[in-house]
mmCIF file of all heavy atoms in Angstrom:
data_model
loop_
_atom_site.group_PDB
_atom_site.id
_atom_site.type_symbol
_atom_site.label_atom_id
_atom_site.label_comp_id
_atom_site.label_asym_id
_atom_site.label_seq_id
_atom_site.Cartn_x
_atom_site.Cartn_y
_atom_site.Cartn_z
ATOM 1 N N TYR J 173 29.315 1.114 15.178
ATOM 2 C CA TYR J 173 30.334 1.821 14.451
ATOM 3 C C TYR J 173 29.792 1.969 12.949
ATOM 4 O O TYR J 173 29.770 0.895 12.230
ATOM 5 C CB TYR J 173 31.705 1.268 14.610
ATOM 6 C CG TYR J 173 32.773 2.175 14.095
ATOM 7 C CD1 TYR J 173 33.432 3.103 14.938
ATOM 8 C CD2 TYR J 173 33.054 2.369 12.670
ATOM 9 C CE1 TYR J 173 34.469 3.900 14.531
ATOM 10 C CE2 TYR J 173 34.014 3.153 12.373
ATOM 11 C CZ TYR J 173 34.723 3.949 13.273
ATOM 12 O OH TYR J 173 35.684 4.788 12.794
ATOM 13 N N SER J 174 29.539 3.064 12.560
ATOM 14 C CA SER J 174 29.199 3.269 11.115
ATOM 15 C C SER J 174 29.423 4.663 10.706
ATOM 16 O O SER J 174 28.888 5.596 11.223
ATOM 17 C CB SER J 174 27.737 3.006 10.923
ATOM 18 O OG SER J 174 27.391 3.228 9.553
ATOM 19 N N ASN J 175 30.502 4.913 9.920
ATOM 20 C CA ASN J 175 30.894 6.289 9.394
ATOM 21 C C ASN J 175 31.201 7.114 10.810
ATOM 22 O O ASN J 175 30.971 8.254 10.832
ATOM 23 C CB ASN J 175 29.766 6.977 8.729
ATOM 24 C CG ASN J 175 29.256 6.259 7.395
ATOM 25 O OD1 ASN J 175 30.069 5.820 6.792
ATOM 26 N ND2 ASN J 175 28.027 6.187 7.280
ATOM 27 N N GLY J 176 31.912 6.545 11.605
ATOM 28 C CA GLY J 176 32.357 7.192 12.886
ATOM 29 C C GLY J 176 31.669 6.553 14.113
ATOM 30 O O GLY J 176 30.537 5.832 13.978
ATOM 31 N N ALA J 177 32.243 6.636 15.131
ATOM 32 C CA ALA J 177 31.696 6.010 16.268
ATOM 33 C C ALA J 177 30.384 6.486 16.755
ATOM 34 O O ALA J 177 30.185 7.717 16.808
ATOM 35 C CB ALA J 177 32.696 6.124 17.635
ATOM 36 N N LEU J 178 29.491 5.752 17.229
ATOM 37 C CA LEU J 178 28.213 5.982 17.622
ATOM 38 C C LEU J 178 28.120 5.977 19.150
ATOM 39 O O LEU J 178 28.824 5.103 19.637
ATOM 40 C CB LEU J 178 27.056 5.274 16.915
ATOM 41 C CG LEU J 178 27.020 5.288 15.502
ATOM 42 C CD1 LEU J 178 25.988 4.263 14.919
ATOM 43 C CD2 LEU J 178 26.732 6.712 14.895
ATOM 44 N N GLU J 179 27.161 6.539 19.779
ATOM 45 C CA GLU J 179 26.879 6.438 21.193
ATOM 46 C C GLU J 179 25.579 5.708 21.483
ATOM 47 O O GLU J 179 24.593 6.278 21.195
ATOM 48 C CB GLU J 179 26.961 7.825 21.849
ATOM 49 C CG GLU J 179 28.184 8.555 21.630
ATOM 50 C CD GLU J 179 27.998 10.227 21.816
ATOM 51 O OE1 GLU J 179 27.004 10.507 22.445
ATOM 52 O OE2 GLU J 179 28.762 10.853 21.196
ATOM 53 N N TRP J 180 25.684 4.440 21.834
ATOM 54 C CA TRP J 180 24.496 3.750 22.049
ATOM 55 C C TRP J 180 24.004 3.728 23.461
ATOM 56 O O TRP J 180 24.853 3.695 24.335
ATOM 57 C CB TRP J 180 24.736 2.201 21.668
ATOM 58 C CG TRP J 180 24.609 2.016 20.135
ATOM 59 C CD1 TRP J 180 24.559 3.006 19.244
ATOM 60 C CD2 TRP J 180 24.703 0.794 19.492
ATOM 61 N NE1 TRP J 180 24.312 2.510 17.844
ATOM 62 C CE2 TRP J 180 24.491 1.032 18.165
ATOM 63 C CE3 TRP J 180 24.810 -0.513 19.823
ATOM 64 C CZ2 TRP J 180 24.445 0.038 17.150
ATOM 65 C CZ3 TRP J 180 24.826 -1.479 18.940
ATOM 66 C CH2 TRP J 180 24.685 -1.261 17.518
ATOM 67 N N ASN J 181 22.664 3.764 23.615
ATOM 68 C CA ASN J 181 22.092 3.696 24.940
ATOM 69 C C ASN J 181 21.252 2.427 24.923
ATOM 70 O O ASN J 181 21.416 1.715 24.004
ATOM 71 C CB ASN J 181 21.151 4.953 25.404
ATOM 72 C CG ASN J 181 20.137 5.236 24.270
ATOM 73 O OD1 ASN J 181 19.666 4.380 23.566
ATOM 74 N ND2 ASN J 181 19.711 6.493 24.159
ATOM 75 N N ASP J 182 20.380 2.257 25.938
ATOM 76 C CA ASP J 182 19.613 0.991 26.002
ATOM 77 C C ASP J 182 18.771 0.839 24.910
ATOM 78 O O ASP J 182 18.459 -0.311 24.406
ATOM 79 C CB ASP J 182 18.846 1.012 27.329
ATOM 80 C CG ASP J 182 19.713 0.719 28.574
ATOM 81 O OD1 ASP J 182 20.911 0.387 28.386
ATOM 82 O OD2 ASP J 182 19.213 1.091 29.647
ATOM 83 N N VAL J 183 18.268 1.910 24.301
ATOM 84 C CA VAL J 183 17.334 1.863 23.227
ATOM 85 C C VAL J 183 18.015 1.263 21.953
ATOM 86 O O VAL J 183 17.571 0.439 21.247
ATOM 87 C CB VAL J 183 16.711 3.220 22.880
ATOM 88 C CG1 VAL J 183 15.878 3.154 21.572
ATOM 89 C CG2 VAL J 183 15.737 3.634 23.939
ATOM 90 N N ASP J 184 19.192 1.785 21.853
ATOM 91 C CA ASP J 184 20.043 1.320 20.522
ATOM 92 C C ASP J 184 20.555 -0.063 20.763
ATOM 93 O O ASP J 184 20.471 -0.860 19.753
ATOM 94 C CB ASP J 184 21.209 2.272 20.408
ATOM 95 C CG ASP J 184 20.935 3.721 20.157
ATOM 96 O OD1 ASP J 184 20.500 4.070 19.106
ATOM 97 O OD2 ASP J 184 21.121 4.546 21.124
ATOM 98 N N ARG J 185 20.896 -0.460 21.948
ATOM 99 C CA ARG J 185 21.181 -1.855 22.167
ATOM 100 C C ARG J 185 20.158 -2.772 21.990
ATOM 101 O O ARG J 185 20.427 -3.924 21.299
ATOM 102 C CB ARG J 185 22.011 -2.010 23.493
ATOM 103 C CG ARG J 185 23.395 -1.334 23.648
ATOM 104 C CD ARG J 185 23.972 -1.743 24.982
ATOM 105 N NE ARG J 185 23.494 -0.750 25.968
ATOM 106 C CZ ARG J 185 23.922 0.410 26.323
ATOM 107 N NH1 ARG J 185 24.951 0.976 25.580
ATOM 108 N NH2 ARG J 185 23.350 1.184 27.290
ATOM 109 N N LYS J 186 19.066 -2.546 22.356
ATOM 110 C CA LYS J 186 17.788 -3.371 22.244
ATOM 111 C C LYS J 186 17.532 -3.365 20.724
ATOM 112 O O LYS J 186 17.148 -4.526 20.247
ATOM 113 C CB LYS J 186 16.634 -2.784 22.935
ATOM 114 C CG LYS J 186 15.382 -3.694 22.912
ATOM 115 C CD LYS J 186 14.292 -3.207 23.691
ATOM 116 C CE LYS J 186 13.051 -4.084 23.539
ATOM 117 N NZ LYS J 186 11.840 -3.668 24.350
ATOM 118 N N LEU J 187 17.614 -2.256 19.995
ATOM 119 C CA LEU J 187 17.226 -2.323 18.552
ATOM 120 C C LEU J 187 18.212 -3.118 17.850
ATOM 121 O O LEU J 187 17.757 -3.842 16.986
ATOM 122 C CB LEU J 187 17.103 -0.906 18.086
ATOM 123 C CG LEU J 187 16.897 -0.718 16.629
ATOM 124 C CD1 LEU J 187 15.538 -1.279 16.096
ATOM 125 C CD2 LEU J 187 16.963 0.851 16.210
ATOM 126 N N ALA J 188 19.413 -2.955 18.133
ATOM 127 C CA ALA J 188 20.475 -3.670 17.472
ATOM 128 C C ALA J 188 20.324 -5.291 17.722
ATOM 129 O O ALA J 188 20.579 -5.989 16.811
ATOM 130 C CB ALA J 188 21.816 -3.255 17.817
ATOM 131 N N ASP J 189 20.102 -5.578 18.985
ATOM 132 C CA ASP J 189 19.892 -6.992 19.256
ATOM 133 C C ASP J 189 18.710 -7.459 18.442
ATOM 134 O O ASP J 189 18.865 -8.570 17.844
ATOM 135 C CB ASP J 189 19.589 -7.177 20.729
ATOM 136 C CG ASP J 189 19.557 -8.643 21.068
ATOM 137 O OD1 ASP J 189 20.468 -9.419 20.905
ATOM 138 O OD2 ASP J 189 18.343 -9.034 21.497
ATOM 139 N N MET J 190 17.606 -6.771 18.257
ATOM 140 C CA MET J 190 16.341 -7.280 17.643
ATOM 141 C C MET J 190 16.819 -7.369 16.028
ATOM 142 O O MET J 190 16.464 -8.238 15.374
ATOM 143 C CB MET J 190 15.227 -6.429 17.836
ATOM 144 C CG MET J 190 14.749 -6.515 19.316
ATOM 145 S SD MET J 190 13.489 -5.360 19.671
ATOM 146 C CE MET J 190 12.134 -6.089 18.849
ATOM 147 N N MET J 191 17.347 -6.187 15.551
ATOM 148 C CA MET J 191 17.556 -6.216 14.130
ATOM 149 C C MET J 191 18.605 -7.262 13.670
ATOM 150 O O MET J 191 18.424 -7.929 12.628
ATOM 151 C CB MET J 191 18.151 -4.838 13.749
ATOM 152 C CG MET J 191 16.899 -3.768 13.661
ATOM 153 S SD MET J 191 17.445 -2.144 13.199
ATOM 154 C CE MET J 191 18.161 -2.400 11.580
ATOM 155 N N SER J 192 19.707 -7.390 14.427
ATOM 156 C CA SER J 192 20.684 -8.500 14.049
ATOM 157 C C SER J 192 19.972 -9.841 14.135
ATOM 158 O O SER J 192 20.318 -10.720 13.262
ATOM 159 C CB SER J 192 21.796 -8.340 14.952
ATOM 160 O OG SER J 192 21.454 -8.650 16.325
ATOM 161 N N SER J 193 19.112 -10.092 14.987
ATOM 162 C CA SER J 193 18.411 -11.287 15.106
ATOM 163 C C SER J 193 17.415 -11.560 13.909
ATOM 164 O O SER J 193 17.511 -12.648 13.240
ATOM 165 C CB SER J 193 17.560 -11.460 16.415
ATOM 166 O OG SER J 193 18.377 -11.370 17.499
ATOM 167 N N TYR J 194 16.730 -10.491 13.486
ATOM 168 C CA TYR J 194 15.896 -10.507 12.345
ATOM 169 C C TYR J 194 16.766 -10.962 11.078
ATOM 170 O O TYR J 194 16.432 -11.867 10.274
ATOM 171 C CB TYR J 194 15.281 -9.261 12.065
ATOM 172 C CG TYR J 194 13.982 -8.965 12.738
ATOM 173 C CD1 TYR J 194 13.873 -7.624 13.403
ATOM 174 C CD2 TYR J 194 12.921 -9.825 12.915
ATOM 175 C CE1 TYR J 194 12.708 -7.236 13.976
ATOM 176 C CE2 TYR J 194 11.897 -9.404 13.535
ATOM 177 C CZ TYR J 194 11.654 -8.242 14.032
ATOM 178 O OH TYR J 194 10.429 -7.987 14.821
#
Side-chain angles (χ1 to χ4, degrees):
Y173 196 94
S174 176
N175 300 321
L178 302 175
E179 300 158 24
W180 277 6
N181 57 28
D182 288 344
V183 173
D184 297 289
R185 284 186 283 273
K186 181 178 180 180
L187 177 61
D189 182 63
M190 295 174 72
M191 285 180 60
S192 59
S193 296
Y194 278 136

